[in-house]
C-alpha cells in the first residue's frame, strides 16, 4: 500500500468517525428531548382530575413513566460520558505534543473506558425509552379503548 492510499484511508476514517460522533450526539439529544417531552406530558395528565387510570392501566402507566424517567437519566449520563471522553481526548493530544507518553498510555485507557461506557449508556437509553413508550401505548389503549374502538 502506498503512502497516498494510507492518507486516503486515514482521511476516510476520520471523516466517518466524525459522522458517527455527530449521529450519536444527534440521536442522544433527540431521544432525550422526546423523553423529556413525554415525561412532561405524562405529569400533566396526572395533574388532570379527569384522568383516572385503574387497575392494570395504572401499572402500565406507572411503569412507562418510570422507564421514561430512567431513559432521561441515562441520556444525561450518556452526554456526560461523551463530555469526559472529549476532555480526555484533548488531554491525550496535549500530552502527545509535550511528549508525556506515560500519561498518554493511561489516558488511552480512560478514553477506551469512556467510549465503551458511552455506547452502553446510549443503548440503555434507547431500550428504556422504547420500553417506556411500549408500556404507555398499552396503558393508553386500555384507558381510551372506548374512544378508540
Amino acid at each position: 500500500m502506498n503512502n497516498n492510499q494510507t492518507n486516503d484511508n486515514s482521511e476516510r476514517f476520520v471523516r466517518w468517525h466524525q459522522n458517527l460522533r455527530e449521529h450519536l450526539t444527534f440521536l442522544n439529544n433527540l431521544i432525550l428531548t422526546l423523553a423529556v417531552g413525554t415525561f412532561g406530558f405524562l405529569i400533566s395528565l396526572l395533574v388532570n382530575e379527569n384522568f383516572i387510570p385503574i387497575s392494570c392501566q395504572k401499572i402500565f402507566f406507572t411503569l412507562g413513566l418510570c422507564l421514561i424517567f430512567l431513559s432521561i437519566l441515562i441520556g444525561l449520563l450518556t452526554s456526560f460520558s461523551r463530555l469526559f471522553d472529549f476532555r480526555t481526548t484533548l488531554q491525550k493530544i496535549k500530552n502527545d505534543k509535550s511528549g508525556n507518553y506515560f500519561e498518554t498510555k493511561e489516558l488511552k485507557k480512560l478514553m477506551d473506558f469512556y467510549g465503551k461506557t458511552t455506547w452502553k449508556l446510549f443503548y440503555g437509553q434507547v431500550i428504556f425509552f422504547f420500553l417506556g413508550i411500549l408500556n404507555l401505548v398499552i396503558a393508553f389503549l386500555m384507558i381510551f379503548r372506548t374512544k378508540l374502538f
Side-chain angles (χ1 to χ4, degrees), residues 10 12 17 21 34 45 59 75-76 92 105 118 133:
S10 178
R12 283 179 45 205
H17 195 259
R21 280 196 318 258
L34 291 172
L45 276 178
I59 294 169
L76 290 172
K92 179 198 167 288
K105 205 175 193 183
T118 297
I133 293 297

Side-chain angles (χ1 to χ4, degrees), residues 7-144:
N7 287 339
D8 288 345
N9 286 340
S10 178
E11 289 174 18
R12 283 179 45 205
F13 176 79
V14 169
R15 186 177 63 245
W16 282 105
H17 195 259
Q18 177 66 26
N19 285 340
L20 178 66
R21 280 196 318 258
E22 289 172 2
H23 281 82
L24 175 64
T25 301
F26 175 78
L27 282 173
N28 174 248
N29 292 337
L30 176 66
I31 294 170
L32 196 52
T33 302
L34 291 172
V36 169
T38 302
F39 191 76
F41 171 71
L42 297 174
I43 296 299
S44 72
L45 276 178
L46 288 175
V47 173
N48 186 348
E49 291 179 13
N50 295 328
F51 183 75
I52 306 171
I54 54 172
S55 65
C56 286
Q57 300 167 355
K58 274 186 182 180
I59 294 169
F60 282 108
F61 185 86
T62 304
L63 186 58
L65 181 72
C66 291
L67 289 169
I68 294 295
F69 182 73
L70 284 173
S71 176
I72 293 169
L73 288 179
I74 293 172
L76 290 172
L77 289 174
T78 303
S79 295
F80 281 114
S81 177
R82 287 184 48 69
L83 182 65
F84 292 142
D85 189 13
F86 292 149
R87 183 176 176 202
T88 306
T89 301
L90 288 175
Q91 187 65 40
K92 179 198 167 288
I93 293 169
K94 182 180 171 185
N95 284 353
D96 283 348
K97 285 186 174 185
S98 67
N100 191 349
Y101 297 111
F102 178 73
E103 273 189 40
T104 299
K105 205 175 193 183
E106 294 300 315
L107 289 172
K108 282 183 180 181
K109 289 179 186 176
L110 266 177
M111 288 168 49
D112 186 50
F113 169 76
Y114 286 131
K116 289 178 181 176
T117 301
T118 297
W119 280 102
K120 289 176 184 175
L121 288 169
F122 176 70
Y123 291 139
Q125 176 192 17
V126 170
I127 289 167
F128 279 113
F129 179 73
F130 283 113
L131 288 175
I133 293 297
L134 178 65
N135 277 280
L136 291 170
V137 166
I138 292 169
F140 286 129
L141 286 174
M142 291 167 64
I143 294 167
F144 297 112

